[in-house]
């Protein structure tokens, strides 16, 4: 029997996706990673003062507007009760940061055939190579068009709500690279905010992940190579006060024009 191991984070979105996979399949373990360490603000300030200012102002704006609380409430509204806790708490192992060594030791001990990854920092190559068959990843963006961080937001900023969605792909050392097994468009609603837009990408991604994992376990999955000449890879440096405000303005325009619902 194929051994399936999940590697994920500890937020509502992670619990929702994990619970969907656990409901469908016999999962050997859920390895929960800590968030990756943030870059030192001193280094950012020294290397790029303008970038530092933009990110600092975004942080202040999000704090003043109580964005963290708004995000939690929005995810709860869309993802519901199944995002509150890991329903298979008995198989949860907390392994620290992905590169700290604990994750690799846990995966080595489990000897999985399939790794199902979602919502972590970059996973070391030695962990990915420990999968007997394949390491998969779910990305809340439509690859290769939108790769990297916050890829439910960039289509809104571009006023392309039709490009909000998710991808399930082979997990490699390339950011959101590897063969694509599934892409799905999220079903947005006219009253969505940036956080519910993200949650709807999580929803469609979870559905696709369940399907792809089943195909992989049965040996019937067929993937397609990505063309990274298409689209953009977004990084943390791209998240600053200008992009934050621009995305919110774009969302208002989409609502007003009736183009948000897809």
């Amino acid at each position: 029997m194929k051994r399936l191991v999940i590697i994920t984070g500890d937020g509502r979105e992670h619990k929702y996706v994990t619970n969907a996979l656990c409901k469908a399949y016999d999962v050997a373990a859920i390895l929960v990673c800590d968030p990756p360490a943030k870059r030192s603000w001193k280094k950012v300030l020294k290397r790029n003062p303008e970038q530092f200012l933009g990110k600092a102002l975004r942080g202040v704006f999000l704090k003043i507007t109580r964005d963290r609380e708004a995000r939690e409430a929005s995810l709860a509204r869309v993802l519901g009760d199944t995002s509150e806790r890991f329903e298979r708490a008995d198989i949860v192992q907390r392994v620290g940061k992905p590169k700290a060594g604990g994750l690799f030791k846990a995966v080595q001990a489990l000897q999985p055939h399939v790794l199902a990854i979602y919502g972590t920092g970059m996973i070391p190559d030695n962990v990915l190579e420990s999968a007997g068959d394949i390491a998969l990843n779910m990305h809340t963006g439509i690859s290769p068009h939108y790769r990297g961080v916050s890829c439910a937001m960039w289509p809104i900023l571009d006023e392309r709500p039709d490009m909000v969605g998710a991808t399930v792909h082979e997990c490699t050392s390339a950011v959101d690279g590897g063969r694509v097994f599934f892409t799905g468009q999220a079903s947005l609603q006219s009253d969505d905010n940036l956080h519910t837009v993200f949650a709807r990408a999580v929803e469609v991604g979870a559905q696709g992940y369940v399907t792809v994992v089943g195909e992989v376990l049965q040996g019937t999955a067929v993937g397609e190579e990505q063309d990274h000449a298409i689209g953009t890879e977004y990084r943390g440096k791209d998240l600053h006060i200008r992009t934050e405000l621009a995305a919110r303005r774009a969302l208002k325009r989409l609502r007003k024009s009736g183009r948000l619902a897809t």
Side-chain angles (χ1 to χ4, degrees):
M1 184 175 180
K2 299 282 188 178
R3 184 180 289 267
L4 171 64
V5 171
I6 297 172
I7 302 175
T8 191
D10 198 25
R12 278 188 175 272
E13 65 272 34
H14 309 110
K15 295 180 176 75
Y16 180 87
V17 173
T18 296
N19 290 338
L21 289 171
C22 287
K23 184 176 180 180
Y25 306 110
D26 182 16
V27 176
I30 302 165
L31 306 181
V32 178
C33 299
D34 292 342
K38 293 183 178 180
R39 292 178 63 190
S40 166
W41 66 266
K42 292 182 180 179
K43 290 183 179 179
V44 176
L45 177 59
K46 184 176 180 180
R47 293 178 182 176
N48 193 327
E50 183 179 357
Q51 178 185 333
F52 170 81
L53 179 61
K55 293 185 74 66
L57 288 174
R58 177 175 180 267
V60 171
F61 172 79
L62 295 180
K63 186 172 183 178
I64 290 173
T65 57
R66 299 173 63 89
D67 188 75
R68 181 177 295 180
E69 292 86 344
R71 182 183 191 277
E72 190 74 5
S74 295
L75 294 188
R77 176 160 67 90
V78 175
L79 302 180
D81 294 344
T82 55
S83 66
E84 288 186 2
R85 64 186 66 84
F86 289 112
E87 294 174 359
R88 288 295 314 275
D90 57 308
I91 59 171
V92 169
Q93 299 181 40
R94 298 188 180 272
V95 294
K97 290 181 171 53
K99 296 181 180 180
L103 175 61
F104 176 66
K105 290 180 180 178
V107 170
Q108 284 283 290
L110 290 162
Q111 297 185 333
H113 296 90
V114 179
L115 288 174
I117 301 164
Y118 171 57
T120 68
M122 291 293 290
I123 300 298
D125 287 347
N126 60 358
V127 173
L128 301 179
E129 292 163 1
S130 298
D133 292 345
I134 193 171
L136 297 170
N137 182 60
M138 187 192 111
H139 166 56
T140 45
I142 295 182
S143 293
H145 304 279
Y146 292 91
R147 308 185 307 277
V149 302
S150 300
C151 286
M153 185 187 83
W154 305 115
I156 296 299
L157 194 152
D158 292 340
E159 299 192 27
R160 290 292 309 274
D162 58 303
M163 292 298 290
V164 176
T167 303
V168 178
H169 61 90
E170 181 181 12
C171 193
T172 68
S173 56
V175 175
D176 298 321
R179 292 172 293 159
V180 171
F181 294 92
F182 166 86
T183 57
Q185 179 184 356
S187 296
L188 306 184
Q189 297 184 11
S190 58
D191 62 345
D192 277 337
N193 58 45
L194 289 178
H195 299 310
T196 54
V197 165
F198 166 72
R200 299 192 195 285
V202 172
E203 276 188 310
V204 71
Q207 295 165 13
Y209 218 168
V210 168
T211 298
V212 170
V213 167
E215 292 172 348
V216 166
L217 292 174
Q218 294 166 14
T220 60
V222 178
E224 295 184 4
E225 297 293 339
Q226 295 191 55
D227 180 1
H228 286 180
I230 299 171
T232 303
E233 179 188 323
Y234 293 92
R235 302 184 180 185
K237 66 181 178 62
D238 298 312
L239 288 170
H240 47 71
I241 189 63
R242 292 192 301 277
T243 52
E244 181 71 32
L245 296 178
R248 290 171 185 247
R249 288 193 296 268
L251 185 64
K252 288 182 180 179
R253 288 193 296 272
L254 289 168
R255 281 196 195 126
K256 189 174 181 179
S257 66
R259 293 173 52 216
L260 182 60
T262 57

